[in-house]
Amino acid sequence: MTITHRRVGAGDHKVVVLHDWFGTSAGWGPFLDYLDGDAFDYAFLDYRGYGERADVEGDYTLAEIARDVLDLADGLGWESFSLVGHSMGGKAAQRVLVEAPHRVRKLVGITPVPASAYPLEGDAYDLFHGAAAQPANRRAILDLVTGQRATAVWLDRMTSQSLAHSRPEAFAAYLTDWTTQDFAAKIAGSRLPVHVFVGQYDLALTEPVMRATWLAHYPDAALEVLPGSGHYPQYEIPVAFATRLEAVLRA
């Protein structure tokens, strides 16, 4: 049986899309309305403990996400596919590359976490690790990564969606895994076509962080700064971002 997923399009270019720590397969905002379903076939996966798979038990790790991606692709009959990963999903996508590099056509990271560890210390540690139980922490993180430019309405809505569509134990476990796991040595030097998008106003996963990690790991990687956006271009600049993402996938 194919793993539960959200499908957009029916084109020849197959793409698996992985959401962020706060998101779900449905948590992509108006961006979904602007994708080219004639050229691309997108499969949006919910992680175990999230969205339509909230009741699915698991270890809640990146390695588990990677196995589920491959099982999903097998169920869809996709021998090869491109990977698009947002934030934590960018690190999960790289874990797929560790497990099955021959199956990945292209890799696109959207304000992505690197394959190396992403240590949190002091106030940042308390802020992030308190977010599983404290809605105010989730809201503060969203405000931080969008450059403290978003409206209160959007911050409240994103916080509410995160609380409603993720299990606290899964939310906490994924955080521990994506901040501590380091498998950079397993992907370093890959000649896979890689494109990294970073938001101009993202105060966490910044351009210098991307240059020190993603661009150092992948010799053929390209970096693109998205003007007018922070960590969530699919919400902040949906039309422009859909256009740029599909241009990269087509190239």
Side-chain angles (χ1 to χ4, degrees):
M1 177 177 280
T2 304
I3 292 175
T4 301
H5 61 286
R6 187 176 303 273
R7 199 82 168 266
V8 176
D12 291 335
H13 191 149
K14 312 303 183 184
V15 187
V16 177
V17 187
L18 303 179
H19 63 76
D20 68 310
W21 183 39
F22 280 77
T24 67
S25 64
W28 291 83
F31 160 83
L32 296 180
D33 295 335
Y34 310 121
L35 297 175
D36 183 353
D38 293 328
F40 299 97
D41 188 351
Y42 296 96
F44 292 76
L45 175 70
D46 278 319
Y47 309 143
R48 299 184 189 208
Y50 278 66
E52 295 184 7
R53 302 179 75 217
D55 60 347
V56 178
E57 299 290 340
D59 298 325
Y60 312 127
T61 64
L62 302 177
E64 185 175 71
I65 293 172
R67 291 194 297 272
D68 282 353
V69 167
L70 294 172
D71 286 345
L72 171 61
D74 288 344
L76 293 171
W78 294 2
E79 180 57 34
S80 66
F81 48 88
S82 292
L83 280 167
V84 174
H86 177 220
S87 195
M88 179 184 88
K91 188 162 187 172
Q94 293 177 91
R95 187 69 209 185
V96 177
L97 189 59
V98 171
E99 304 297 335
H102 59 288
R103 299 186 66 174
V104 182
R105 290 180 57 178
K106 293 184 177 182
L107 173 62
V108 179
I110 307 166
T111 60
V113 176
S116 51
Y118 189 80
L120 297 170
E121 299 176 346
D123 291 344
Y125 183 95
D126 294 339
L127 177 66
F128 277 72
H129 282 272
Q134 298 295 330
N137 288 38
R138 299 195 192 202
R139 191 182 191 280
I141 292 167
L142 288 163
D143 196 24
L144 172 72
V145 299
T146 49
Q148 299 174 328
R149 300 165 57 252
T151 67
V153 171
W154 184 83
L155 293 171
D156 290 342
R157 181 175 298 174
M158 291 291 285
T159 302
S160 296
Q161 287 179 184
S162 175
L163 290 165
H165 300 295
S166 63
R167 289 167 58 173
E169 65 271 28
F171 191 85
Y174 284 125
L175 172 64
T176 298
D177 205 58
W178 72 253
T179 55
T180 61
Q181 285 295 305
D182 185 349
F183 49 86
K186 295 182 178 180
I187 53 87
S190 168
R191 307 307 300 221
L192 184 75
V194 174
H195 197 94
V196 181
F197 289 105
V198 62
Q200 176 187 4
Y201 296 109
D202 192 336
L203 298 179
L205 291 162
T206 61
E207 181 179 356
V209 171
M210 296 301 106
R211 292 194 180 280
T213 55
W214 278 74
L215 267 67
H217 298 156
Y218 299 101
D220 299 326
L223 176 67
E224 181 173 347
V225 178
L226 295 169
S229 182
H231 194 66
Y232 285 89
Q234 64 269 41
Y235 285 95
E236 298 174 75
I237 52 167
V239 176
F241 180 56
T243 302
R244 285 302 308 135
L245 172 63
E246 293 193 327
V248 167
L249 291 172
R250 285 188 176 97

